[in-house]
């Protein structure tokens, strides 16, 4: 009925908005994950469709490689 709609292209901006909105009120480190349905605006090709799911895992507020190691460990555990 004449309405304009938007489909979510990716999830990362949602985390960025959350961090900016909470500002210093966000207790760190902040750990966040989401599995969401997304869409891309381009021609479909083999193995790359317009509709897809994206799995985001992020840790905000940790300096160094500790957060990266934790994320890699979580991914490894998931695929075992």
């Amino acid at each position: 009925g004449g309405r304009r709609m938007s489909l979510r292209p990716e999830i990362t901006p949602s985390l960025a908005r959350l961090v900016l909105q909470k500002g210093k009120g966000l207790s760190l480190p902040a750990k966040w994950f989401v599995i969401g349905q997304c869409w891309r605006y381009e021609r479909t090709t083999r193995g790359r469709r317009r509709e897809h799911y994206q799995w985001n895992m992020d840790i905000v507020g940790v300096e160094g490689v500790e957060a990266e190691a934790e994320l890699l460990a979580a991914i490894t555990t998931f695929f075992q």
Side-chain angles (χ1 to χ4, degrees):
R3 295 183 304 170
R4 295 186 129 195
M5 299 177 71
S6 174
L7 301 175
R8 177 173 48 195
E10 63 174 303
I11 297 170
T12 305
S14 300
L15 173 64
R17 277 192 300 277
L18 172 75
V19 171
L20 288 172
Q21 285 175 353
K22 296 292 182 181
K24 294 188 179 198
L26 184 65
S27 58
L28 299 177
K31 298 178 182 183
W32 185 74
F33 81 94
V34 65
I35 299 172
Q37 191 175 15
C38 301
W39 290 266
R40 57 174 67 95
Y41 183 71
E42 56 189 47
R43 284 188 19 214
T44 58
T45 59
R46 187 178 194 178
R48 190 167 167 89
R49 301 182 180 196
R50 286 190 174 167
E51 180 181 359
H52 64 283
Y53 286 85
Q54 180 176 326
W55 177 21
N56 263 30
M57 291 191 315
D58 297 284
I59 301 176
V60 178
V62 175
E63 294 184 22
V65 298
E66 292 83 7
E68 299 298 326
E70 184 175 340
L71 293 171
L72 289 171
I75 292 168
T76 302
T77 300
F78 175 79
F79 284 109
Q80 287 180 345

